[in-house]
Amino acid sequence: MNCQETRRYWDLFYDSEGDAELHFQLNEHLDNCVECAEWFDKQSRLESLIEQRLGVAASVELAPQVNWSSVLTGAGVTPAAKSRSWLFFSSSILALAASLLLIVGMYGLPFGDESPSLSYLSAEVHQHVSAGSLRPEFESRSDIEVDQYLLNKVSFPVRCPPRKDSGFAVAGAGLCELSQQPAAYVVGTVDQRPVSIFVLSKDSLDAFPKQRAELQRMQLTTCREGDTEMVLSIVDRNLVLVAGNVDSAKLTRVLKSYGTYPHTL
Amino acid sequence: MALPDREKAERFVAYLEPIQHQLAVYCSRALNRADETADVLQSAVATAFRDFDKYSEGTNFRAWMFRYVTLETLNRNRAAMRLPSELDEQQLSAPRTLDITSFRLETLLDDPDAVLDHCDEVVAESISQLTDQECRILLLRAVGDFKYREIAEIMDIPIGTVMGLLSRARTQLRSKLLDYARQHGLLSKGDSA
Ligand SMILES: [Zn+2]
């Protein structure tokens, strides 16, 4: 395959379409042609930035505009009054359909007008990941691959996952929303036990008054929901929460090593 | 009219809830008037719920539901005599590769953030200038994360058409972004040429 042919297949390559043979040939060319490899990278980066603008970037401003309960009522869909939490729903469906996007909205959560805390929502997601009822949309044991995956998925910067010497072995990553705040999560293990790292924009702190007040008093806070220990801090432009069923000293070590890698870009 | 079966409604909502947000983003982007989003979703949901007995358990509910929303957005835009529909024929005969000088495209590729950081509105506006089909295919791919085969099923068109139109939609969108960037001096490396 020459350069021109290779580039003609960029769409298929980018969208992971076409057969294995085609991808083999494309990869073979890209491995041996720096110009095309660079060209593919640039095309893909631009496209994923555009997609981000079309999808994720629209989410924050759009979410409040659609009142789903009135949409459903207006459409004649009237299930029995909700007694379950939203997360219960989403996880069972996700387990079935392996849906790509988990949106942890406040809708239906048993909190009345008060927003659930960041720790409550993070612990819920972490428990579903630990139990296997939620699989991250991207699975890899390479921190660089996970970093690359998250690079253009959210509108705020996300740093590279913690290094292995912090005791954290990465396994994958995904996206979610916590009280309508976009978040990236990185999953992995510490001492073979599941640990999840949630990364939000620092600005999201306004949606969680309890945590905001705590972080105004101290740099790093710890808390617990059920069996899940959590540590929370602001790192550069991110709000970072590490959750796991291991002691908080180990979680703190993971948190402190978050973002100590210089970003690859 | 008989009241809808509670169990059917519960099952439907359980399927719908995880994709509500994606549907809302898709719908608002696909509509000429974003303020009609809730109304269009309501019509699509009503029709899908009516047909929910025909949905076979275990198949792709997400694609099934997106089909209803796609049809509803198309109907709504056509009813509003959306301008791009009138241009369909003209656009279909346009060359697939637009006249983007390689230099200008290079500058966009080298520093896409410089342009895209200013372009949220432009991206939204530009997709509304695509043909209905191109716009939906691009959104189903970018927002819905569907495979070509699924898009073909949702749109009821051949997979080859999906590929061709997606490629053209991407080219058109880049061209619009470049135009905007040039007009607003966002391409730093001397694009005044
Ligand atoms: Zn080459």
Side-chain angles (χ1 to χ4, degrees):
Chain A
M1 210 180 260
N2 65 28
C3 295
Q4 207 188 349
E5 283 172 314
T6 302
R7 293 182 187 198
R8 219 176 48 211
Y9 288 115
W10 170 78
D11 286 276
L12 291 177
F13 182 85
Y14 178 73
D15 294 327
S16 303
E17 297 276 353
D19 57 23
E21 171 64 21
L22 174 71
H23 282 259
F24 177 80
Q25 287 187 31
L26 291 173
N27 277 315
E28 202 174 37
H29 183 92
L30 295 174
D31 284 346
N32 294 299
C33 177
V34 182
E35 287 82 17
C36 282
E38 217 169 81
W39 189 90
F40 266 55
D41 275 352
K42 283 183 180 176
Q43 300 287 335
S44 303
R45 179 160 159 69
L46 174 60
E47 197 54 38
S48 67
L49 282 171
I50 292 173
E51 287 179 359
Q52 187 189 311
R53 293 298 188 287
L54 288 173
V56 181
S59 62
V60 178
E61 87 242 18
L62 185 80
Q65 288 172 14
V66 176
N67 178 345
W68 274 95
S69 56
S70 73
V71 166
L72 289 169
T73 312
V77 184
T78 50
K82 275 186 192 171
S83 57
R84 290 167 285 190
S85 82
W86 201 94
L87 274 169
F88 174 81
F89 262 176
S90 70
S91 67
S92 58
I93 296 302
L94 277 161
L96 279 171
S99 174
L100 292 175
L101 189 67
L102 172 74
I103 298 146
V104 186
M106 283 168 53
Y107 314 109
L109 284 169
F111 292 94
D113 290 336
E114 209 177 302
S115 21
S117 68
L118 178 61
S119 55
Y120 172 86
L121 293 169
S122 308
E124 283 285 292
V125 177
H126 171 71
Q127 280 160 21
H128 282 278
V129 172
S130 314
S133 53
L134 169 64
R135 282 183 67 174
E137 51 258 44
F138 183 75
E139 292 177 296
S140 166
R141 302 205 171 274
S142 153
D143 41 18
I144 293 170
E145 277 179 21
V146 168
D147 179 45
Q148 285 297 315
Y149 172 75
L150 287 175
L151 194 58
N152 299 315
K153 294 278 178 190
V154 281
S155 54
F156 51 89
V158 175
R159 298 228 200 139
C160 201
R163 288 182 283 190
K164 287 198 178 61
D165 54 24
S166 70
F168 180 77
V170 70
L175 303 173
C176 61
E177 285 197 3
L178 306 167
S179 274
Q180 296 173 23
Q181 302 301 307
Y185 65 89
V186 177
V187 299
T189 52
V190 170
D191 296 342
Q192 322 273 319
R193 298 220 183 122
V195 166
S196 310
I197 304 168
F198 296 86
V199 182
L200 293 85
S201 162
K202 197 168 86 175
D203 301 335
S204 294
L205 201 51
D206 290 341
F208 306 103
K210 183 167 170 254
Q211 274 80 21
R212 188 181 51 199
E214 283 170 5
L215 285 173
Q216 274 163 357
R217 287 200 306 275
M218 48 198 139
Q219 249 187 350
L220 186 142
T221 72
T222 58
C223 59
R224 164 196 269 264
E225 294 275 350
D227 295 339
T228 307
E229 295 281 353
M230 278 168 281
V231 294
L232 173 71
S233 186
I234 289 170
V235 181
D236 192 21
R237 287 160 70 188
N238 292 143
L239 174 62
V240 184
L241 184 148
V242 184
N245 303 52
V246 293
D247 70 55
S248 55
K250 285 183 176 163
L251 297 178
T252 304
R253 199 166 151 224
V254 172
L255 177 66
K256 285 193 169 157
S257 79
Y258 167 78
T260 48
Y261 253 171
H263 209 287
T264 46
L265 279 180
Chain B
M1 198 165 67
L3 272 178
D5 174 13
R6 279 260 157 105
E7 215 170 286
K8 177 183 166 187
E10 268 194 32
R11 218 158 51 86
F12 181 79
V13 170
Y15 275 113
L16 186 70
E17 256 179 315
I19 62 169
Q20 281 176 354
H21 180 78
Q22 238 182 355
L23 284 172
V25 174
Y26 171 70
C27 184
S28 85
R29 292 291 198 195
L31 282 171
N32 224 11
R33 295 186 44 182
D35 59 350
E36 291 183 331
T37 303
D39 192 37
V40 168
L41 284 171
Q42 185 174 311
S43 304
V45 166
T47 318
F49 184 56
R50 189 198 62 204
D51 292 351
F52 190 49
D53 296 324
K54 290 185 228 155
Y55 167 73
S56 23
E57 201 77 43
T59 59
N60 191 342
F61 178 82
R62 211 166 65 87
W64 188 82
M65 192 62 222
F66 264 81
R67 190 174 158 75
Y68 284 91
V69 175
T70 299
L71 286 173
E72 199 58 43
T73 57
L74 284 170
N75 288 340
R76 189 64 61 111
N77 282 355
R78 274 179 201 144
M81 292 297 284
R82 182 174 176 260
L83 187 65
S85 300
E86 294 160 11
L87 296 176
D88 277 1
E89 213 159 304
Q90 184 195 333
Q91 292 193 348
L92 280 171
S93 60
R96 194 179 130 175
T97 309
L98 293 167
D99 180 25
I100 305 169
T101 67
S102 58
F103 175 75
R104 284 175 55 204
L105 185 57
E106 267 318 300
T107 49
L108 176 61
L109 288 167
D110 281 342
D111 192 8
D113 292 297
V115 177
L116 287 164
D117 280 351
H118 297 84
C119 278
D120 270 9
E121 281 307 305
V122 186
V123 172
E125 221 179 274
S126 302
I127 60 157
S128 74
Q129 290 169 29
L130 301 174
T131 68
D132 273 341
Q133 268 193 331
E134 285 169 357
C135 171
R136 269 141 202 84
I137 290 169
L138 187 73
L139 288 172
L140 286 167
R141 177 69 213 129
V143 180
D145 207 23
F146 285 106
K147 306 296 289 179
Y148 294 175
R149 182 183 43 76
E150 293 172 312
I151 297 173
E153 280 168 22
I154 292 170
M155 303 278 300
D156 204 15
I157 52 175
I159 195 165
T161 309
V162 171
M163 287 163 66
L165 291 178
L166 177 62
S167 171
R168 208 174 63 174
R170 282 175 168 156
T171 311
Q172 303 245 30
L173 193 53
R174 289 172 182 209
S175 160
K176 304 262 186 257
L177 290 175
L178 276 171
D179 283 346
Y180 178 88
R182 193 171 39 80
Q183 284 161 17
H184 292 80
L186 298 173
L187 295 175
S188 50
K189 284 181 243 166
D191 188 55
S192 49

